[in-house]
Amino acid sequence: MNKQVILKQRPVGLPDESTWETVKADIPSAKEGEVVVKQHYISLDPAMRGWMNDAKSYLPPVGIGEVMRAGSVGEVVESKHPDFQVGDYLSGWGGVQQYAATDAKGWFKVDPNLVSLPTYIGTLGMPGMTAYFGILEVGKIKEGETVLISGAAGAVGSIAGQIAKIKGCKVVGIAGGAEKCAYLKDELGFDGAIDYKNEDIHAAIKRECPKGVDVYFDNVGGDILDAALANLRMHGRVPLCGAISQYNSTEGIAGPKNYLSLLVNRGTMQGFIILDYAKDYQKAAMEMGTWMSQGKLKSREDVHEGIENFRETFLRLFSGEKLGKLVLKVMDN
């Protein structure tokens, strides 16, 4: 049987027990031009919370009764597609289910002998691509600049910060708790770390970035975005990647109060969606793969097991009970 997690009702605030339902269906068969993928790992990302809202966005919302949208990686077990064979490993949008039948549009082959399968939905997947294009194309970082990153111990922030270090920037990360801050400095080589849970964020930014911030890579929004804007340097840039502090709000989104800092400092704040850079994914993956082989870029996955534990694991994104890229193992290799 094929275990699937379907969206049962749209959540208000934090998703609860009534949001999803785990059901069993027959394992699908491939139609002409399709493959069936036995999925090993599912990517858990903050963006999934937005996909459940019935609101205009860059992707249509997940429909009630549909399999929950998610990135995934797994093995082809049946193929009627000319480009893929049984035994190939693919990464794409398989959703939260154990088997996925797909025409493979938007899927790509991966090699489990080069790196572990979870890496293809982490550093070499959507989070890594988001970090790469967000910090380089949107942030337009330059050697010697000061880069501040929120959500810095997460899947995107940890990669964006390491890329900024590779490019010769001073990098300061914001994370929650002493363990994560130590991880940023001791393992990833960040120049400084700010524990937003245990120190005043305004004072800490001034301490770690005494000359101000050239690029603030925002993953969280809210008060931390305001504090970063207050410390923006002339011609500072703010790539808006996400706002995880706001996704489960029941009182409306709290917008930036210090946006006039952009005017005074001739700064820019730009949102971006990683799908816009799809044509350049291969180039980015090759460069990041080279950095990984050189030991310059470290990848860390926080893997949990069992499709039945999807909700519990997903909520770790919002509680902070994770380090690196959050992944759910749904089938054995």
Side-chain angles (χ1 to χ4, degrees), residues 146-301:
T146 296
V147 175
L148 179 66
I149 298 178
S150 58
V156 175
S158 61
I159 302 302
Q162 290 182 83
I163 292 174
K165 282 298 298 178
I166 290 169
K167 296 297 183 178
C169 297
K170 174 184 176 179
V171 179
V172 176
I174 303 173
E179 179 188 1
K180 290 183 179 181
C181 287
Y183 169 67
L184 295 179
K185 293 199 294 184
D186 299 342
E187 292 193 42
L188 302 187
F190 282 37
D191 298 287
I194 295 170
D195 181 357
Y196 76 89
K197 289 186 176 180
N198 295 298
E199 56 183 326
D200 180 83
I201 191 71
H202 289 272
I205 292 176
K206 288 185 179 298
R207 180 192 73 225
E208 298 293 339
C209 310
K211 296 181 180 179
V213 175
D214 294 294
V215 176
Y216 169 57
F217 193 100
D218 187 31
N219 286 303
V220 302
D223 293 339
I224 292 177
L225 171 58
D226 269 335
L229 287 173
N231 288 275
L232 206 62
R233 294 188 73 188
M234 191 68 68
H235 303 296
R237 286 89 69 201
V238 182
L240 284 180
C241 178
I244 196 168
S245 72
Q246 304 298 304
Y247 291 163
N248 294 301
S249 173
T250 57
E251 300 176 357
I253 300 297
K257 300 171 185 174
N258 286 335
Y259 76 95
L260 287 179
S261 177
L262 296 168
L263 185 158
V264 172
N265 294 298
R266 290 70 143 181
T268 57
M269 185 159 61
Q270 179 183 341
F272 70 99
I273 298 299
I274 193 53
L275 301 177
D276 296 341
Y277 298 90
K279 65 181 178 60
D280 294 321
Y281 284 0
Q282 186 173 5
K283 169 198 148 190
M286 288 180 66
E287 186 164 23
M288 287 196 288
T290 299
W291 289 334
M292 291 177 70
S293 68
Q294 295 170 340
K296 295 179 180 179
L297 181 62
K298 296 181 180 179
S299 178
R300 180 163 182 164
E301 293 81 36

Side-chain angles (χ1 to χ4, degrees), residues 104-115:
K105 290 179 181 176
W107 292 65
F108 57 92
K109 290 183 184 180
V110 300
D111 187 346
N113 296 312
L114 293 178
V115 297

